[in-house]
Amino acid sequence: MKIVIVGGVAGGATAAARIRRLDEEAEIIVFERSGFVSYANCGLPYYIGNVITEQAALTLQTPKSFFDRFRVTMKVHHEVTALHPDRKTVSVKNLETNEEFEESYDKLLLSPGAKPTQPSVPGTGIKKLFTLRTVEDTFRIKEYIQENKPKSAVLAGGGFIGLELAENLRELGMDVTIVQRPKQLMNPFDPDMAAFIHNEMRKYGIKLVLGHTVEGFEEKDGGVDVLLKGEASLHADMVVLAIGVTPDTKLAKDAGLKLGIKESILVNERMETSAPDIYAVGDAVQVKHRVTGQDALISLAGPANKQGRIAADNICGGDSRYLGSQGSTVIKVFDLTAATTGVNETNAKKAGLDVDKVILSPMSHAGYYPGGRMMTMKVVFEKETYRLLGAQIIGYEGVDKRMDVLATAICAGLKATELKDLDLAYAPPYSSAKDPVNMAGFMIENISKGILKQFHLEDIEHLPYDGSVVLLDVRTQREYQRGHVDGFVNIPVDELRERMEEIKKGKSIYVMCQSGLRSYIATRILAGYGHEVYNLSGGFRFYDIVVNDQTLITSATPCGMDQ
């Protein structure tokens, strides 16, 4: 059997190695138009920032090492220019010699990936405007920085690559500005959770110009002007486009394969396309979101690797199935770690789901053990059924392991209330006897039993401030004086029982504290006295960070710069 693979990196290289492990006799040829067949895509910004210092560390395999180990023929600088499903061949161009030829196949695997999205605006071809997707892109950016010593950069786009590159350029001493149309960075996160990311970026001097549309680029004064709609332009020594990626599916489209959203390649659970004996994997294919069941594009290395393995199994006569993508991700943002899985609140509502959430601020490990740091967790679940839909965590140590537990819980179909039952490892340097994931489960169970009633940040502006309800802040007097929500009166939780006569009966009570814990205790005290009580999810800390962030975004202008 002869297998031709178009594209290496995560999906194609994984499939090639798996096919060889399953079939020692198969002839396997991989055509890769770049000079690198398998590289650490996610590590590219860290090479630019000198965190990764050796070029060789980026290239996981070379054509020689792949052939020596797997007897797979890796032909770099070879671009497949056309597919011919009717005669089971592909047209190939050798980019070094310009030779063109046809290669036959018994099975064909497409792993073309995605290409940086190029906006349809003037100036995208100027030399000081870069994209970052391949190793070659990385070398071009690093060479430009080494030769020209730029002092400033504008990044158009605030996704994974944009944030990682912003951090690394800032660590090189450059002034860095991120500009984009959405009013938040990192769309996998809800706007309220993204506020914590914005806070960290500003802390390290990254300027954020959010909610502004780029209309073009011009070379000016030895650098680049980034033209903004209705605003003054931004000037920098260099600009990097990081506004996302688009499935690279021209080959599939020209060959008549069925396409999905954004012209991605349609595949079934076996990674088979609409054409016989042609498979497709990676960033170019449409998948099902594992939580919503809706069609999705999820450009991540983990799914691409799994899909490559599944396609290889089926090419070799097996019956492996891809069950969908969950979108589990983690990113380093200077000192912070931000992670998410499943579907966020915003997208769950767009999908028509009736959702609720809990927001909590647990410590990374036992409070009495030195070095614990607070994290912020948001867990989203479906009302009535308590189906676990997604989670977001932002903090320091221990974020990734909690997110992996939550991702596993979603994959296993656990209800949000069942998080309380998970038997998780505990020792004071690593966790608490009540792990943060357990704590989320306790809170959701209390909601399910009517023990906990919540109100949320977005409800605060709609509360009646006419005295028809009681608005209560149960933090200490000192905390209250440092900042509070207007209209909320202060009675510290430890004084509440003795001052119960100050609270009028027959009125609903809305309670807040710093993080939601003391106010929950207050709600139980007040409920014991016959009051109907609601607890602010996330507490004043969460409210303060999110509201301040919204103010900065709204008031920021390109001239003044949000920082």
Side-chain angles (χ1 to χ4, degrees):
M1 180 169 61
K2 181 178 180 181
I3 301 103
V4 168
I5 299 175
V6 180
V9 198
T14 295
R18 176 69 171 174
I19 291 168
R20 173 57 72 225
R21 289 194 292 269
L22 296 177
D23 187 343
E24 183 61 23
E25 302 301 321
E27 180 184 0
I28 309 167
I29 303 174
V30 179
F31 292 113
E32 169 59 49
R33 64 187 166 201
S34 77
F36 301 88
V37 294
S38 181
Y39 56 88
N41 203 300
C42 301
L44 302 183
Y46 298 99
Y47 177 72
I48 292 171
N50 295 328
V51 177
I52 298 171
T53 57
E54 298 295 329
Q55 284 189 14
L58 295 176
T59 53
L60 306 178
Q61 294 280 355
T62 66
K64 183 180 186 304
S65 68
F66 225 101
F67 185 82
D68 289 346
R69 178 67 56 85
F70 298 110
R71 294 300 188 268
V72 170
T73 302
M74 292 280 192
K75 296 193 174 183
V76 296
H77 296 134
H78 279 68
E79 182 175 11
V80 173
T81 57
L83 314 179
H84 310 291
D86 54 337
R87 58 180 186 268
K88 300 186 78 168
T89 64
V90 297
S91 296
V92 186
K93 182 177 182 179
N94 184 328
L95 299 178
E96 295 178 352
T97 65
N98 290 323
E99 173 196 4
E100 296 185 23
F101 59 93
E102 280 197 12
E103 189 78 47
S104 63
Y105 65 82
D106 296 308
K107 304 283 185 179
L108 175 66
L109 174 64
L110 303 178
S111 180
K115 55 189 177 184
T117 302
Q118 292 276 6
S120 299
V121 296
T124 53
I126 63 180
K127 290 184 178 179
K128 294 175 182 178
L129 184 66
F130 301 89
T131 58
L132 179 56
R133 183 66 178 175
T134 66
V135 175
E136 287 89 347
D137 293 336
T138 308
F139 293 164
R140 277 192 290 270
I141 293 172
K142 186 153 187 172
E143 182 180 347
Y144 177 81
I145 292 171
Q146 290 174 336
E147 291 181 356
N148 296 278
K149 305 292 189 296
K151 295 181 179 179
S152 60
V154 169
L155 309 183
F160 288 95
I161 290 293
L163 264 65
E164 290 169 346
L165 186 57
E167 177 179 342
N168 279 277
L169 294 180
R170 185 67 183 144
E171 295 289 358
L172 291 176
M174 297 172 63
D175 289 331
V176 180
T177 301
I178 297 177
V179 57
Q180 66 169 14
R181 186 185 306 167
K183 289 188 176 182
Q184 71 165 87
L185 304 175
M186 295 296 294
N187 281 333
F189 292 82
D190 286 314
D192 51 9
M193 294 296 287
F196 291 82
I197 297 174
H198 299 168
N199 215 25
E200 186 77 357
M201 299 294 278
R202 295 184 189 107
K203 173 183 169 184
Y204 280 89
I206 304 293
K207 303 176 182 71
L208 304 181
V209 182
L210 307 177
H212 294 273
T213 302
V214 175
E215 289 196 318
F217 307 93
E218 289 181 356
E219 289 192 83
K220 189 175 181 181
D221 298 331
V224 183
D225 271 5
V226 181
L227 311 179
L228 302 181
K229 184 177 181 179
E231 295 284 355
S233 61
L234 299 168
H235 184 79
D237 296 331
M238 63 181 292
V239 174
V240 181
L241 283 177
I243 59 176
V245 293
T246 303
D248 192 356
T249 57
K250 185 178 184 300
L251 285 174
K253 183 179 180 181
D254 291 347
L257 273 61
K258 290 184 179 179
L259 304 179
I261 52 178
K262 294 187 178 180
E263 297 194 334
S264 57
I265 303 172
L266 275 181
V267 293
N268 60 19
E269 291 180 335
R270 290 168 47 83
M271 309 312 298
E272 295 169 323
T273 70
S274 58
D277 296 320
I278 300 181
Y279 298 75
V281 300
D283 295 352
V285 305
Q286 176 179 294
V287 298
K288 291 290 184 185
H289 196 288
R290 193 157 187 159
V291 175
T292 66
Q294 295 182 340
D295 295 333
L297 292 176
I298 298 180
S299 300
L300 295 169
N305 274 280
K306 295 180 185 73
Q307 292 162 13
R309 177 185 175 90
I310 288 166
D313 287 353
N314 295 324
I315 285 170
C316 294
D319 187 23
S320 293
R321 307 281 171 143
Y322 187 67
L323 302 180
S325 295
Q326 198 169 300
S328 299
T329 59
V330 64
I331 184 172
K332 176 183 178 294
V333 184
F334 291 99
D335 293 336
L336 278 182
T337 298
T340 181
T341 190
V343 63
N344 63 27
E345 181 186 9
T346 305
N347 290 330
K349 289 179 176 177
K350 286 180 181 178
L353 298 172
D354 189 15
V355 303
D356 202 353
K357 62 196 172 191
V358 292
I359 297 166
L360 58 157
S361 303
M363 296 291 287
S364 56
H365 61 240
Y368 60 83
Y369 188 88
R373 303 288 296 274
M374 185 179 291
M375 64 180 72
T376 303
M377 294 178 62
K378 181 176 184 177
V379 179
V380 181
F381 56 94
E382 192 171 30
K383 291 181 181 178
E384 305 299 331
T385 68
Y386 291 91
R387 179 166 69 107
L388 187 58
L389 300 175
Q392 300 155 66
I393 310 178
I394 297 177
Y396 301 91
E397 65 177 35
V399 167
D400 53 339
K401 74 173 182 176
R402 272 63 185 229
M403 187 53 66
D404 284 342
V405 170
L406 288 161
T408 303
I410 291 174
C411 187
L414 294 187
K415 289 185 177 182
T417 49
E418 293 178 300
L419 295 176
K420 73 183 190 304
D421 300 319
L422 295 176
D423 191 354
L424 304 174
Y426 160 62
Y430 303 106
S431 185
S432 301
K434 297 176 183 177
D435 187 86
V437 174
N438 295 138
M439 290 299 300
F442 295 147
M443 292 173 68
I444 297 168
E445 182 192 41
N446 283 341
I447 292 172
S448 72
K449 292 181 175 181
I451 297 171
L452 171 63
K453 295 179 180 179
Q454 298 187 109
F455 69 108
H456 301 290
L457 183 150
E458 60 268 23
D459 299 322
I460 291 179
E461 63 179 305
H462 303 296
L463 292 174
Y465 290 84
D466 57 2
S468 59
V469 300
V470 177
L471 306 176
L472 186 61
D473 187 323
V474 299
R475 296 176 296 158
T476 65
Q477 187 178 17
R478 187 174 181 180
E479 287 175 302
Y480 182 82
Q481 289 172 345
R482 284 201 296 260
H484 59 269
V485 178
D486 289 341
F488 279 73
V489 297
N490 180 222
I491 302 178
V493 63
D494 292 340
E495 301 175 14
L496 191 55
R497 291 181 179 90
E498 288 71 32
R499 297 173 62 179
M500 195 62 66
E501 72 280 356
E502 298 177 33
I503 300 171
K504 294 181 181 179
K505 290 187 176 182
K507 294 183 179 182
S508 297
I509 305 174
Y510 293 82
V511 190
M512 74 165 63
C513 70
Q514 190 69 6
S515 67
L517 176 57
R518 284 173 289 172
S519 53
Y520 168 64
I521 294 169
T523 66
R524 300 313 305 148
I525 295 171
L526 290 162
Y529 282 81
H531 294 285
E532 182 179 30
V533 199
Y534 299 87
N535 188 31
L536 177 62
S537 178
F540 181 79
R541 169 181 171 269
F542 188 78
Y543 167 89
D544 193 43
I545 289 173
V546 175
V547 170
N548 285 338
D549 177 62
Q550 291 171 348
T551 301
L552 285 169
I553 292 171
T554 302
S555 62
T557 64
C559 291
M561 291 301 185
D562 167 14
Q563 51 178 328

